[in-house]
Amino acid sequence: MFTRRIAVVGAGYVGLTTAACLASLGHRVCCADVDEVKVGQLRRGEVRILEPGLPELVAAGVAAGGLRFVVGAASAVDDADTVFLCLPTPRGGDGAADLSVVESVVAEVRDRLSPGCVVVTKSTVPVGTARRLAALLGRDDVAVVSNPEFLREGSAVPDFLGPDRIVVGSDDRGAAERVAALYARLGAPTVLTDAASAEMVKYAANCFLAMKVSYVNALAELCERLGADVVDVTEGMGHDRRIGRAFLRPGPGWGGSCLPKDTAALASVAVGLGVDFPLLAAAIETNVRQRGRVVAKVRAAVGGALRGARLGLLGLTFKAGTDDLRDSPALAVAELLAGEGAELTAHDPAVPAADPRTSGVVTLVDDPYQVAKDADALVLLTDWPEFRGLDWAQVAELMERRVVVDTRNHLDPEALRAAGLDWHGVGRRPVRC
């Protein structure tokens, strides 16, 4: 039985996951987007986002009648008692989040909202947005609530349906409780707070995770200099419950749609308020530096100069399990390598050879073995499970120089050594054949 009438504005990554999951909880959901082609695809059950479990959830919701898709926000909100705003808030020129799309939609639906309706910001928005939107709405009979998402690409559906916590904030306690009740079936810990605190939670969490990754990347560099093994070091750290194991894997740096944008936004807020936040500034600086450190590692592996070197790249997305290239550290490293004159061939299981998003930096191929042909080195940049299962003896036969730089410590060094390949990781001693 459907219990609430919900409109979700935005059928992107967050919006589509939110709509499909809320429908699976028994609510009647109408999801709106301005892209007519996308809406048509979704009505047919076609999901173009690479996210495990999401196509099945969308199909089930449509088939059950609890999920439908429309063009335009206004047509979705007419009979809704709750409206979720899942809209892009890109990084502006000064690092602050750009709310122009959010404000445009609020202005569009302002006079269409039913009395007693609750407007919910789901995407990451600056602290103070709820009050700003309430003023823009100008309606005492409509409350604004902050309900930040904590979805990881590649596991968004289980993250939504099995969350660590649900955060709901509003200056109207009753409205916050109504939004929290939407998730009652999940039985998750719920934090009810004011709007500003709820908005701050998302930035606080993501920036802490970014600092943790930057910390372990700096630690990996120390391990290399001191002859220690970062894998053993982080294993020893991770058993401490105060620290935990998550986000303690070194790599080419953090990226994606959230961490770069959220760290820049919080740093911009701190500057604007005259608050010194050196920890966050150092995390951002360390992340940029890490990309250069990866390039230096590749440069050394091919003999000291990259100009004319033929490099094969394994992985381009910012993480495995997604087709997202936004702020990908893999692409950032590729651009730096190309800038030094390297010739790049790349394969990623989620990026087709004709994909225009790589902007001509690399030659994309559909076969991972093609990147090895005549290569002076292979550089693993994204930890796709498929790469561990490659026939490394065949890879070695195809290469000009038998060197692999594993920026994720993803591969089995001994398997590569047995195949006749030198393996160079991050924060670990090289393994040579």
Side-chain angles (χ1 to χ4, degrees), residues 37 104 255 290 353 362:
V37 174
S104 175
Q290 184 67 8
V362 301

Side-chain angles (χ1 to χ4, degrees), residues 15-299:
L16 187 57
T17 302
T18 297
C21 288
L22 286 173
S24 77
L25 294 177
H27 304 296
R28 187 178 294 277
V29 182
C30 179
C31 183
D33 201 277
V34 294
D35 187 333
E36 294 184 20
V37 174
K38 181 190 292 186
V39 169
Q41 292 169 342
L42 291 171
R43 285 172 175 169
R44 297 190 297 271
E46 300 172 11
V47 176
R48 300 301 173 92
I49 298 172
L50 180 59
E51 188 60 48
L54 186 57
E56 294 81 3
L57 211 58
V58 169
V62 172
L67 177 62
R68 62 190 179 94
F69 297 93
V70 298
V71 177
S75 57
V77 305
D78 280 341
D79 64 345
D81 51 52
T82 310
V83 176
F84 281 85
L85 302 179
C86 302
L87 299 162
T89 55
R91 178 169 47 182
D94 60 353
D98 181 352
L99 291 178
S100 59
V101 174
V102 175
E103 292 175 347
S104 175
V105 168
V106 168
E108 178 186 351
V109 304
R110 176 173 51 209
D111 298 328
R112 304 285 292 265
L113 300 174
S114 303
C117 180
V118 178
V119 174
V120 185
T121 56
K122 192 68 174 170
S123 298
T124 306
V125 294
V127 177
T129 297
R131 292 183 179 178
R132 184 173 173 177
L133 296 184
L136 183 59
L137 283 168
R139 292 185 54 174
D140 294 336
D141 59 345
V142 174
V144 180
V145 172
S146 173
N147 174 218
E149 55 85 14
F150 301 98
L151 306 178
R152 297 168 298 168
E153 294 192 41
S155 60
V157 171
D159 284 349
F160 193 104
L161 298 177
D164 295 326
R165 78 292 201 192
I166 293 165
V167 177
V168 183
S170 178
D171 297 336
D172 182 334
R173 181 76 174 191
E177 290 174 348
R178 284 174 58 192
V179 173
L182 297 174
Y183 304 96
R185 288 181 54 186
L186 301 180
T190 301
V191 178
L192 283 175
T193 183
D194 59 89
S197 297
E199 291 163 344
M200 186 65 179
V201 167
K202 180 62 183 291
Y203 286 106
N206 276 357
C207 290
F208 181 82
L209 295 176
M211 289 191 289
K212 199 172 180 182
V213 177
S214 287
Y215 175 80
V216 80
N217 278 333
L219 199 65
E221 183 175 5
L222 277 176
C223 286
E224 290 178 7
R225 302 286 184 91
L226 297 170
D229 189 318
V230 75
V231 171
D232 292 341
V233 171
T234 54
E235 172 75 11
M237 293 169 61
H239 283 288
D240 189 325
R241 287 173 293 180
R242 299 169 301 174
I243 299 173
R245 300 174 183 272
F247 285 74
L248 280 182
R249 291 186 60 192
W254 38 265
S257 62
C258 292
L259 297 190
K261 178 169 69 75
D262 293 351
T263 51
L266 192 59
S268 176
V269 168
V271 170
L273 294 173
V275 175
D276 193 18
F277 203 158
L279 280 174
L280 184 56
I284 295 170
E285 181 184 349
T286 299
N287 194 55
V288 173
R289 181 173 178 271
Q290 184 67 8
R291 298 166 182 177
R293 207 170 84 78
V294 168
V295 170
K297 188 178 288 288
V298 177
R299 189 188 304 117

Side-chain angles (χ1 to χ4, degrees), residues 393-415:
Q394 180 182 346
V395 169
E397 287 298 319
L398 291 167
M399 296 182 70
E400 177 69 24
R401 185 182 303 192
R402 299 181 173 186
V403 179
V404 176
V405 178
D406 181 358
T407 73
R408 300 276 186 174
N409 293 339
H410 179 60
L411 306 173
D412 180 353
E414 290 303 319

